[in-house]
Amino acid sequence: MKKTTLLLAGMFLVCGQALFAQDYHWPLQANADEIVAGLNGTLVGNVTFITDVNKGDVAYFDGTDSYISLPSFVNGLDEVTISLWFRCDVGAGLGRLWSIGNGFDDGAGHGAVEPKDHMTLVLDMNKTQFYLSPEGGVPPWPWAHAITAVDTIKYEVWHHSVIVLTADEIRGYQDGVEILMEAATRNFSTIDDSQNMLPRSMWDDDIPFNGALSDLQVFKRALSADEVGKLFDGTLGISDHISNGQTPNIYTRYNRIVVDVAGSLGDEQVSVFDIAGKLVAEKPVSKIGDISLGAGLYVVKVLDYSAKVVVQ
């Protein structure tokens, strides 16, 4: 018997509890639009969009002065989580993944992440570095919280970068694994983020990024280590709700949603909605995995079960 449930306007509920959602989301599939709150970015220079074999449609930066300018989105936040997927091209410049603040000339606040040592053209010890300038101006080098090393960054491979910043601590993750944990002396609440760029440094002479980016997500709270791991593997927000004694197993495989229902004959109807509530796919369990979806947040409904999943 085929069953579907109704989509609730405004937010998605399961057993009276709100499903997890990010506050801002730039899929970076065909433009710089933000799909949750309408904080659209602006393309600057030769930003293109390509189809990647693993991630689908993504933003590509060719190592020239091309980037995406983003509107203010972190000013005043005591806690924030910033998540981004990146792929570095072979032998190319590996500049900043993102920069937040309003430049260096007036001693403004600044935070940034880059997948290399900023003084070289190569992967220097395969580092990920996070920069956060202290309040009151540009400090002498090195900055507090400047360098975090991890030995797993590879060319032509997608990596997941997450920075969690609170009033008390900085946590950094790569591919779901914590690589940085230290006390924070500052958070983004005191930064005037009127000059936010992706992927560009605020120093004009820094190396431009050459590679691809996908799925920038921002949460106005500090995700836990467990939540970051689920964000990396695409299971964040999946409900534990059980329907008719069955717990559907919903997961993503590249740009497809897969649904397994124990004891199913494959005729249960699966409905997939985008974040705006638009129905984008409807197929039986056995056929839903045939549909290729763009990167983004989706709500999946099967039987009396609802789950929110992220397609990377």
Side-chain angles (χ1 to χ4, degrees), residues 270-290:
V270 179
S271 301
V272 181
F273 301 85
D274 65 17
I275 190 63
K278 178 183 178 182
L279 181 67
V280 296
E282 194 165 52
K283 293 284 185 179
V285 168
S286 60
K287 298 294 185 182
I288 196 66
D290 296 340

Side-chain angles (χ1 to χ4, degrees), residues 60-311:
Y60 183 75
F61 304 85
D62 62 3
T64 61
D65 189 22
S66 59
Y67 62 96
I68 295 174
S69 175
L70 298 177
S72 173
F73 62 91
V74 300
N75 183 251
L77 296 180
D78 292 328
E79 296 186 351
V80 67
T81 300
I82 300 176
S83 166
L84 178 68
W85 286 84
F86 70 94
R87 188 202 76 200
C88 300
D89 276 0
V90 173
L94 305 175
R96 305 287 171 87
L97 298 179
W98 51 259
S99 294
I100 290 174
N102 67 343
F104 293 118
D105 293 340
D106 57 0
H110 169 72
V113 173
E114 64 181 22
K116 64 162 196 67
D117 177 60
H118 81 290
M119 299 298 292
T120 70
L121 281 168
V122 298
L123 288 173
D124 180 11
M125 296 178 61
N126 299 328
K127 290 178 181 176
T128 292
Q129 298 186 87
F130 173 66
Y131 303 86
L132 181 63
S133 65
E135 193 169 358
V138 176
W141 197 262
W143 294 357
H145 320 298
I147 299 176
T148 300
V150 62
D151 62 0
T152 56
I153 299 176
K154 307 296 182 185
Y155 286 115
E156 303 296 343
V157 173
W158 282 96
H159 292 293
H160 186 222
S161 169
V162 175
I163 294 294
V164 180
L165 186 61
T166 74
D168 302 315
E169 67 180 11
I170 299 169
R171 285 183 279 124
Y173 298 84
Q174 183 174 298
D175 299 338
V177 177
E178 184 179 281
I179 61 172
L180 166 65
M181 164 69 85
E182 60 183 81
T185 58
R186 182 183 197 195
N187 58 26
F188 283 148
S189 65
T190 57
I191 288 181
D192 173 15
D193 68 328
S194 57
Q195 187 179 336
N196 303 329
M197 296 176 290
L198 178 81
R200 190 182 189 277
S201 171
M202 292 180 183
W203 277 335
D204 290 337
D205 57 353
D206 267 7
I207 302 164
F209 179 80
N210 193 178
L213 300 181
S214 177
D215 214 32
L216 172 65
Q217 298 180 77
V218 177
F219 305 80
K220 294 194 288 188
R221 71 176 184 89
L223 266 61
S224 68
D226 180 65
E227 288 173 322
V228 171
K230 290 180 178 179
L231 184 61
F232 168 65
D233 64 24
T235 62
L236 183 63
I238 291 183
S239 167
D240 293 327
H241 180 54
I242 297 176
S243 172
N244 298 333
Q246 295 180 332
T247 304
N249 180 26
I250 300 177
Y251 57 97
T252 60
R253 180 180 294 136
Y254 300 121
N255 59 339
R256 300 173 190 275
I257 291 174
V258 182
V259 179
D260 294 327
V261 181
S264 169
L265 297 177
D267 64 343
E268 286 82 1
Q269 194 79 349
V270 179
S271 301
V272 181
F273 301 85
D274 65 17
I275 190 63
K278 178 183 178 182
L279 181 67
V280 296
E282 194 165 52
K283 293 284 185 179
V285 168
S286 60
K287 298 294 185 182
I288 196 66
D290 296 340
I291 299 175
S292 176
L293 297 168
L297 183 69
Y298 296 90
V299 173
V300 181
K301 294 180 178 290
V302 57
L303 298 172
D304 294 323
Y305 177 95
S306 300
K308 187 171 289 187
V309 297
V310 176
V311 173

